[in-house]
Amino acid sequence: PEGRRGRYGSFSQIGVPAGLILAQLVFFVLNGALTEAQFRSWGWRLPFLFSIVLVAVGLVIRLRVEESPVFERLRRERARSRLPMIEVLRERPREVLVASGSFVANTAIGYVFLAYLLSYGTSVLKLSRAVMLVVVIVGSVTWLVAIIATAVWSDRAGRKPVYLAGSVLLVLWPVPFFLLVDTRQPWLLVVAVVVINVGLGATYGPQSALYAELFEPRHRYSGASFSYAVGAVLGGGFAPLIATALQSSTGSSLSVSWYMVAVALVSLGAVLAFPAASPSALTRD
């Protein structure tokens, strides 16, 4: 319903931190139950086997979910596009560009937190895997809460102000982030990941509603999914490799920080190009 699109849209977004929390909890349990040799030999396979349950749950949901009234109306009126991807790129290139660009920082910085931080903490800083798992779990819980809170906020303030606040935070925090992480003090690591995940939440929670509102119904599915995919590939596809290469070649985590700042500036520019309108004005149902 209008006025709650951010809130309801955030339900799909929380799947990322919720899945991460579940995965890290499983690894945390395995880390305590198995020896290092057992974990490296066969224990690491167990979480992948357990995920079969999640695949089954996801399949049931997908088979039972109903289509939205907007798309049902398009189906009844036979108003669906025959070449939706070509049409959206031809008719809505600006929307695709700003939507894709707005997601680059979230995925790049998100993957630094998701994939790189655990490796950096254990292999470079020589912190225990248990400590790093707890830090990542705390950060993930913060991310989940921030997604819901900022999505609800976007229903009141509009998508652009929320995205702008999160994007500015992602520009300003990467340098303090690694300065705190490099102290090797667990409580300072927690501060670092909590703040960065507030920024990630603000640039992810309202995303479903924002993307839906950027594209009219006949372009919505293709425009939103294509923009999401492009932003994810450009931002997150190579982020852990780039972070590892920068730290290895320079010997300093600050090089990774400046990489994070650079991608955050790209997304900040895209967010500034968003239409300055309220959610109700942007919606074209």
Side-chain angles (χ1 to χ4, degrees):
E2 187 173 346
R4 296 184 180 181
R5 289 177 173 135
R7 178 185 304 178
Y8 284 108
S10 70
F11 294 166
S12 61
Q13 308 303 83
I14 64 174
V16 174
L20 181 62
I21 292 167
L22 183 59
Q24 299 297 350
L25 285 173
V26 171
F27 273 104
F28 186 79
V29 171
L30 292 176
N31 186 62
L34 304 177
T35 66
E36 183 74 14
Q38 289 173 329
F39 181 83
R40 291 184 178 275
S41 176
W42 53 268
W44 62 271
R45 293 182 172 89
L46 295 179
F48 295 96
L49 293 175
F50 297 157
S51 71
I52 294 174
V53 177
L54 295 179
V55 173
V57 172
L59 180 60
V60 170
I61 292 173
R62 287 180 178 274
L63 291 175
R64 293 187 178 184
V65 70
E66 295 180 1
E67 189 54 271
S68 69
V70 175
F71 285 98
E72 286 290 354
R73 186 169 67 247
L74 288 179
R75 181 180 296 168
R76 290 195 305 269
E77 297 172 355
R78 299 182 182 275
R80 290 179 295 176
S81 174
R82 295 184 63 186
L83 300 170
M85 196 67 257
I86 294 175
E87 289 184 12
V88 76
L89 291 175
R90 183 176 63 239
E91 299 177 20
R92 293 290 179 265
R94 182 177 182 274
E95 285 82 352
V96 170
L97 186 62
V98 297
S100 300
S102 70
F103 195 35
V104 169
N106 186 281
T107 52
I109 295 174
Y111 270 97
V112 170
F113 165 69
L114 292 171
Y116 176 71
L117 182 62
L118 185 60
S119 172
Y120 178 75
T122 55
S123 62
V124 178
L125 300 182
K126 306 303 180 182
L127 293 167
S128 71
R129 185 188 293 132
V131 168
M132 291 307 302
L133 285 173
V134 170
V135 169
V136 173
I137 290 171
V138 171
S140 302
V141 171
T142 304
W143 191 2
L144 190 152
V145 173
I147 284 174
I148 298 173
T150 56
V152 172
W153 179 27
S154 75
D155 283 331
R156 302 171 182 173
R159 317 296 176 213
K160 185 172 182 177
V162 176
Y163 255 83
L164 192 59
S167 298
V168 170
L169 183 56
L170 292 182
V171 171
L172 297 178
W173 192 247
V175 173
F177 175 80
F178 270 107
L179 289 177
L180 292 173
V181 168
D182 287 346
T183 65
R184 295 180 171 86
Q185 298 298 316
W187 72 273
L188 290 178
L189 267 73
V190 168
V191 173
V193 300
V194 164
V195 176
I196 203 76
N197 278 285
V198 171
L200 290 174
T203 54
Y204 198 55
Q207 187 189 61
S208 291
L210 173 71
Y211 279 17
E213 293 164 354
L214 278 176
F215 300 97
E216 61 266 42
R218 68 190 185 93
H219 292 146
R220 185 166 296 160
Y221 190 90
S222 297
S225 58
F226 183 76
S227 300
Y228 187 97
V230 170
V233 170
L234 294 180
F238 301 99
L241 294 176
I242 293 173
T244 302
L246 287 172
Q247 200 283 326
S248 177
S249 61
T250 64
S252 172
S253 61
L254 284 179
S255 60
V256 183
S257 294
W258 291 118
Y259 161 66
M260 295 163 69
V261 170
V263 294
L265 286 172
V266 171
S267 288
L268 178 60
V271 172
L272 290 172
F274 281 159
S278 66
S280 60
L282 275 174
T283 304
R284 288 166 284 187
D285 289 349

